[in-house]
Amino acid sequence: MRAALLERFDGLADRFLADIEPMKEAGALVVGIYCTFAPVELVRAAGAIPVGLCGKKQAPIPAAEKTLPANLCPLIKSSYGYAVTGTCPYFAASDLLVGETTCDGKKKMYEHLSRIKPLHLMHLPAAIGPAQDAYWRDEVRRFQGFLEAATGNAITPEALGEEIRIQNEVRRLLARLLATAAGTCLPISGLDMMLVSEAKSFSADPYAYAATLRELLAELDAFVAAGESCVPCEARRILLTGCPVGRGSEKVVRLVEESGGVVVAAENCSGVKSFDLLVDETGDPLTAIARRYLRIPCSVMTPNTGRFALLDRLTREFRPHGVIDLTWQCCHTYNVESPLVTAHMLETHGLPTLHIETDYSESDTEQLRTRIEAFLELL
């Protein structure tokens, strides 16, 4: 049984364009965001509207390969392909873009992208420490200056504080929603959890999004109280880790759940990483924002101890039977980190890991189905 309120999230991305039309007519700018390292609090405090742009479908990739090398991550090629083909309405609606130097492929792709629309690039340090905190705070301040110049609006501490509070509330609600999967019977599937989490990037009004999350939580709490489950309670529980997934690139999650398993938590930047950490609501807001975002445990960080700490916590809370580590082809940082994840999960938790390296195409779907079915059978 699927919660009725999930239908509201199904169409949220489609309604986004209609919702922002009066705002754009009133002079608000739309800022296209490619990564969870970009602070949405600053965008909203400047009176602008953030929207997620990361490419997650195969269709525009051939167009991108006319400029970019074929042996590049599909996420990068899809993102650029949407830009050059004009087939992404959210890219078309964006007045400004913000990128980040999370990997060499993306930062060089942004050089091409900046020829199409104004783009601000945030230079991310690859480690965490006092010096890196100070450097990243300067990058966040530089982003503030870019937004103020583009919008003509000053970002005040009061406006920033209010945006911190509502974004923290959204993060708390998403964490509560994820926690409903910690029980024996699950009121929400991994696919639907991904849908709800991703919808955050297509919500013009975070207060309305938070209100809808509260309604959904009430419905799911009623499911739990009644002992209802959207999947068989004996389904093999999977912890997904690795590269981001989303609509159009969810084939591994879909195959897991079609094969009798369930993704109880997705430790990736389109899942738990996007809402796990809160911004400190006391003290200087810019410093607090910089500190929170720099601690997102992306594989570009060296050493990436935060990822293993998060995997440990998710394992304790959601009791998976196994781990699937998803890596998009040519994503070198996640590929290099994969053996470390496999060893850690086995040695620390006794959990087997299935590493999958794939792209956005459907050409390997049946091969993946066979591997996933065999893995679930092993569990």
Side-chain angles (χ1 to χ4, degrees):
M1 185 181 222
R2 188 175 189 252
L5 266 167
L6 286 168
E7 293 183 8
R8 201 179 300 180
F9 291 94
D10 283 327
L12 194 59
D14 295 330
R15 291 197 302 274
F16 174 81
L17 297 172
D19 290 343
I20 66 170
E21 189 173 339
M23 302 180 195
K24 284 181 70 74
E25 289 177 355
L29 300 182
V30 176
V31 179
I33 290 176
Y34 282 95
C35 184
T36 52
F37 280 107
V40 294
E41 292 88 348
L42 280 168
V43 176
R44 291 193 183 275
I49 309 160
V51 63
L53 290 181
C54 232
K56 294 173 183 174
K57 291 189 179 181
Q58 173 70 18
I61 287 179
E65 289 178 343
K66 294 177 181 178
T67 302
L68 303 178
N71 60 338
L72 194 62
C73 161
L75 186 149
I76 299 172
K77 292 189 292 185
S78 181
S79 299
Y80 185 66
Y82 272 127
V84 295
T85 59
T87 52
C88 175
Y90 313 108
F91 184 89
S94 297
D95 302 289
L96 312 167
L97 308 173
V98 56
E100 71 311 309
T101 57
T102 47
C103 75
D104 290 342
K106 283 181 80 175
K107 75 181 183 183
K108 298 306 288 185
M109 182 272 286
Y110 289 138
E111 293 181 15
H112 293 282
L113 206 55
S114 64
R115 295 169 175 260
I116 302 173
K117 290 201 176 188
L119 184 144
H120 178 85
L121 188 62
M122 300 186 76
H123 295 271
L124 185 73
I128 296 174
Q132 289 80 11
D133 278 334
Y135 173 86
W136 183 242
R137 187 181 183 281
D138 287 342
E139 281 298 292
V140 172
R141 184 178 292 282
R142 194 169 64 87
F143 183 43
Q144 175 182 348
F146 168 79
L147 290 169
E148 289 178 331
T151 62
N153 300 324
I155 297 176
T156 65
E158 294 75 20
L160 207 49
E162 180 57 30
E163 294 302 332
I164 288 171
R165 283 187 286 275
I166 183 56
Q167 293 302 322
N168 275 349
E169 176 62 9
V170 166
R171 292 175 184 125
R172 291 187 188 100
L173 290 168
L174 286 170
R176 283 181 53 200
L177 181 64
L178 179 67
T180 63
T184 304
C185 296
L186 280 70
I188 187 168
S189 69
L191 277 171
D192 280 333
M193 182 65 207
M194 185 174 67
L195 165 73
V196 173
S197 176
E198 190 178 48
K200 169 169 52 67
S201 299
F202 299 98
S203 178
D205 182 353
Y207 295 92
Y209 177 74
T212 307
L213 282 177
R214 292 187 196 98
E215 292 180 59
L216 177 60
L217 276 165
E219 185 175 4
L220 296 183
D221 286 344
F223 273 22
V224 172
E228 305 246 0
S229 181
C230 67
V231 296
C233 295
E234 66 275 10
R236 298 293 87 185
R237 302 166 67 89
I238 296 297
L239 172 58
L240 180 70
T241 184
C243 291
V245 294
R247 294 178 305 161
S249 62
E250 82 292 345
K251 67 178 177 181
V252 171
V253 181
R254 174 168 40 85
L255 287 171
V256 168
E257 300 196 338
E258 286 177 356
S259 302
V262 60
V263 174
V264 290
E267 181 277 329
N268 52 41
C269 58
S270 55
V272 175
K273 285 178 186 173
S274 68
F275 58 80
D276 181 59
L277 302 171
L278 301 179
V279 177
D280 185 1
E281 296 182 25
T282 63
D284 175 56
L286 207 68
T287 299
I289 286 172
R291 183 174 177 79
R292 183 266 173 191
Y293 279 87
L294 187 58
R295 276 152 183 78
I296 296 171
C298 177
S299 65
V300 297
M301 293 296 172
T302 301
N304 190 16
T305 55
R307 183 182 182 192
F308 297 96
L310 179 55
L311 285 169
D312 289 343
R313 177 154 53 87
L314 293 175
T315 299
R316 290 192 300 269
E317 292 177 7
F318 294 93
R319 308 179 319 284
H321 298 107
V323 180
I324 291 182
D325 183 14
L326 168 64
T327 306
W328 297 127
Q329 288 175 358
C330 302
C331 182
H332 302 311
T333 56
Y334 273 105
N335 246 333
V336 170
E337 214 167 73
S338 182
L340 301 176
V341 170
T342 298
H344 177 82
M345 297 309 291
L346 187 61
E347 294 166 5
T348 306
H349 303 287
L351 291 176
T353 297
L354 173 65
H355 180 228
I356 291 176
E357 185 179 3
T358 184
D359 60 13
Y360 288 176
S361 73
E362 295 294 325
S363 61
D364 62 349
T365 297
E366 294 311 311
Q367 179 193 57
L368 289 178
R369 188 190 304 277
T370 300
R371 292 183 63 200
I372 289 169
E373 287 176 349
F375 184 63
L376 294 176
E377 185 84 11
L378 170 70
L379 300 181

